[in-house]
Amino acid sequence: RMLRLMRILRLVKLVKSVRPLYLLVTGVVAALQGVVWVLVLTIVTLYAMGIMATRLIGHRMLFPPGMHVPDNILLPFLTVSDSMFTLFRIMSGAASDEEAMAVDLLM
């Protein structure tokens, strides 16, 4: 274990001693911080929209009482996690034919 730790410390010392390599590493770390914040914002937005889609579509609040709604429309929105996954697939352009048909029928 100590040998592994010593190898890591030598690598850190090498990065600090070579200025262009140090600038590259600090730039990558700074870029990762921005990527993490975009990921957090995306997850929070998908969670909020997933709750809304589950309540409105999955629990039939969007439809008038007594209206028959096919199960293939409700299936992708029955739970919050299903709604989040469906919305993510639609957002990324990877929706299946069934999901695309469900969204088309809702619009």
Side-chain angles (χ1 to χ4, degrees), residues 48-64 69 73-74 77-78 80 83 106:
M49 294 300 115
I51 291 172
M52 255 181 37
T54 302
R55 297 284 295 175
L56 293 175
I57 301 168
H59 296 171
R60 293 184 171 104
M61 292 177 71
L62 186 66
F63 309 107
V69 182
I73 292 177
L74 299 176
F77 302 102
L78 288 179
V80 175
S83 294
L106 286 170

Side-chain angles (χ1 to χ4, degrees), residues 67-100:
M67 180 180 174
H68 173 69
V69 182
D71 287 338
N72 63 343
I73 292 177
L74 299 176
L75 191 62
F77 302 102
L78 288 179
T79 65
V80 175
S81 58
D82 287 343
S83 294
M84 285 178 65
F85 185 63
T86 301
L87 292 172
F88 175 75
R89 287 175 53 99
I90 291 169
M91 177 186 76
S92 63
S96 66
D97 292 337
E98 295 164 357
E99 292 167 340

Side-chain angles (χ1 to χ4, degrees), residues 1-38:
R1 283 188 138 167
M2 286 301 284
L3 288 175
R4 288 183 189 167
L5 184 61
M6 294 301 286
R7 287 180 191 166
I8 292 172
L9 289 176
R10 273 193 288 170
L11 184 62
V12 169
K13 187 178 178 182
L14 173 70
V15 168
K16 285 187 176 183
S17 65
V18 179
R19 179 114 176 109
L21 187 57
Y22 179 73
L23 290 174
L24 180 69
V25 169
T26 56
V28 168
V29 169
L32 278 175
Q33 183 182 10
V35 169
V36 167
W37 281 114
V38 168

